[in-house]
């Protein structure tokens, strides 16, 4: 069974091809995180929405014209025979580039309906990205239905990446709510934290400070989270300075992503919109992670008071020791 749809992008062939194949461009409209080895026989893994990971292998590539890949779902419970095939064909058109997506080999009408809903949603976002340069935050990534430390980390990663995508060179020296860090220094801190966790999980990562902030963090976070999903949340992780419960390490990732997203947004004068379900959950993780002993070590200041009318996000950042209205 098959899904077949064509959209017209107001872009040239090369730019349209990048939008459907390059991780930094895929993150703008389809994926929270993406690993792509764009060669015949190369593999990809996309975090489409938190906890939902599409994987496959490229079987045909004509740069600027066509890409074909197998498609399956990684998460537990996915049927072993769920592999299908996606082809994306690009052709020049009078007003830009025609992009035809064909997804074939879907086993049941239910599979066709589910994938059609997904592709229609993301092709609409592709059109918005091509037309305006900003498809906006993906509401499907905002609040995972099955929240745990890893699905929440996917969702909080989406939040911080969107904020970091707005960082420019002019923002580098702006002071953040963290007294010791301007924006550039906080990016360095976040990169170091994520890289340290990635390496503790056995992921091979290299931090490149020359990348843009969003690409830098995304390129560290993707392998860290992929390794974490492969490992699971049982047992402990050797962080070098201590053996920590895996759930605590994942909780730290959540705090690093979401709280620092708030820090960056405050520094740049941006509004940060996060689903209450997500911030409520991360606040619970914070309460289980930030002990008085941790505060005494200097990693977090004492919790600051908030009004009863404070938002869920404000309660979270206040718990981490930040002044909400400073």
């Amino acid at each position: 069974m098959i899904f077949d749809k064509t959209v017209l992008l107001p872009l040239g062939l090369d730019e349209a091809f990048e939008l459907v194949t390059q991780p930094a461009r895929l993150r703008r409209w389809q994926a929270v995180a993406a690993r792509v080895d764009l060669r015949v026989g190369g593999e990809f893994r996309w975090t489409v929405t938190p906890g939902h990971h599409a994987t496959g292998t490229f079987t045909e590539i004509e740069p600027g014209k066509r890409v074909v890949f197998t498609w399956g779902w990684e998460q537990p419970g996915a049927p072993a025979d769920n592999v299908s095939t996606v082809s994306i064909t690009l052709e020049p058109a009078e007003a830009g580039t025609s992009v035809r997506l064909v997804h074939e080999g879907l086993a049941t009408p239910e599979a066709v309906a589910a994938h059609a809903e997904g592709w229609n949603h993301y092709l609409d976002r592709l059109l918005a990205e091509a037309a305006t340069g900003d498809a906006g935050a993906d509401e499907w990534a905002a609040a995972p239905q099955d929240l745990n430390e890893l699905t929440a980390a996917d969702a909080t990663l989406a939040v911080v990446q969107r904020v970091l995508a707005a960082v420019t060179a002019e923002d580098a020296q702006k002071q953040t709510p963290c007294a010791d860090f301007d924006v550039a220094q906080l990016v360095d801190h976040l990169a170091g934290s994520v890289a340290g966790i990635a390496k503790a999980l056995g992921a091979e990562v290299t931090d490149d400070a020359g990348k843009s902030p969003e690409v830098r963090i995304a390129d560290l976070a993707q392998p860290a989270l992929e390794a974490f999903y492969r490992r699971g949340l049982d047992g402990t992780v050797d962080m070098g300075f201590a053996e920590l419960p895996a759930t605590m390490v994942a909780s730290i990732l959540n705090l690093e992503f979401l709280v620092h997203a708030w820090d960056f947004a405050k520094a740049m004068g941006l509004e940060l919109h996060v689903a209450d379900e997500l911030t409520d959950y991360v606040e619970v993780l914070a309460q289980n992670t930030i002990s008085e002993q941790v505060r005494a070590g200097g990693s977090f200041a004492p919790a600051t008071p908030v009004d009863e009318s404070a938002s869920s996000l404000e309660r979270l950042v206040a718990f981490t020791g930040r002044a909400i209205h400073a």
Side-chain angles (χ1 to χ4, degrees):
M1 306 185 76
I2 191 169
F3 171 83
D4 187 340
K5 185 168 182 174
T6 300
V7 295
L8 179 63
L9 305 186
L11 302 172
L13 279 169
D14 290 342
E15 190 172 0
F17 190 75
E18 288 184 357
L19 267 178
V20 299
T21 58
Q22 298 301 314
R25 306 306 298 280
L26 287 164
R27 289 194 298 271
R28 297 291 180 267
W29 64 278
Q30 184 177 22
V32 173
R35 170 171 57 81
V36 175
D37 181 7
L38 191 62
R39 59 183 177 86
V40 173
E43 297 181 348
F44 74 89
R45 182 184 187 271
W46 300 339
T47 301
V48 180
T49 58
H52 294 84
H53 312 287
T55 62
T57 301
F58 293 101
T59 60
E60 182 181 341
I61 298 171
E62 294 182 65
K65 297 179 180 180
R66 180 173 166 83
V67 61
V68 181
F69 46 90
T70 62
W71 178 275
W73 293 101
E74 180 184 271
Q75 65 263 29
D81 61 351
N82 74 336
V83 177
S84 49
T85 301
V86 176
S87 64
I88 303 175
T89 305
L90 296 81
E91 295 182 347
E94 183 176 348
T97 297
S98 169
V99 178
R100 182 186 182 194
L101 186 145
V102 179
H103 193 160
E104 55 188 334
L106 296 165
T108 65
E110 291 77 16
V112 173
H115 284 84
E117 181 182 13
W119 284 124
N120 283 322
H121 173 76
Y122 285 108
L123 288 173
D124 284 347
R125 288 180 53 78
L126 174 61
L127 283 167
E129 177 65 26
T132 68
D134 185 6
D138 182 7
E139 64 269 26
W140 284 15
Q145 291 182 345
D146 299 317
L147 272 170
N148 60 41
E149 290 87 345
L150 292 181
T151 59
D154 285 338
T156 54
L157 174 61
V159 173
V160 74
Q161 285 177 163
R162 182 157 174 79
V163 177
L164 288 173
V167 175
T168 67
E170 289 71 30
D171 296 317
Q173 307 306 315
K174 291 180 179 177
Q175 181 61 47
T176 73
C178 302
D180 295 335
F181 299 126
D182 60 22
V183 167
Q185 292 166 332
L186 189 59
V187 172
D188 288 342
H189 162 80
L190 179 56
S193 296
V194 178
I197 290 173
K199 291 173 182 177
L201 294 167
E204 294 185 7
V205 296
T206 301
D207 182 20
D208 183 353
K211 295 177 179 178
S212 72
E214 190 269 346
V215 171
R216 182 181 179 187
I217 298 305
D219 285 354
L220 293 169
Q222 190 284 324
L225 284 168
E226 182 174 351
F228 227 145
Y229 271 96
R230 191 162 50 243
R231 181 202 179 281
L233 290 165
D234 294 335
T236 61
V237 176
D238 183 359
M239 293 297 297
F241 59 87
E243 289 267 353
L244 298 180
T247 51
M248 179 177 289
V249 176
S251 297
I252 292 169
L253 274 178
N254 278 273
L255 292 171
E256 291 281 353
F257 293 151
L258 187 52
V259 176
H260 289 324
W262 184 86
D263 291 331
F264 289 122
K266 280 292 183 182
M268 296 186 294
L270 302 177
E271 287 286 333
L272 185 63
H273 300 285
V274 188
D276 286 348
E277 299 95 321
L278 181 60
T279 50
D280 287 347
Y281 181 79
V282 177
E283 184 181 3
V284 173
L285 298 183
Q287 291 170 349
N288 293 334
T289 303
I290 305 173
S291 64
E292 290 307 313
Q293 182 180 1
V294 169
R295 292 189 198 274
S299 297
F300 294 90
T304 59
V306 293
D307 297 333
E308 290 186 5
S309 60
S311 69
S312 175
L313 181 59
E314 288 174 334
R315 291 197 305 271
L316 168 63
V317 297
F319 184 78
T320 68
R322 286 151 172 81
I324 301 302
H325 302 296

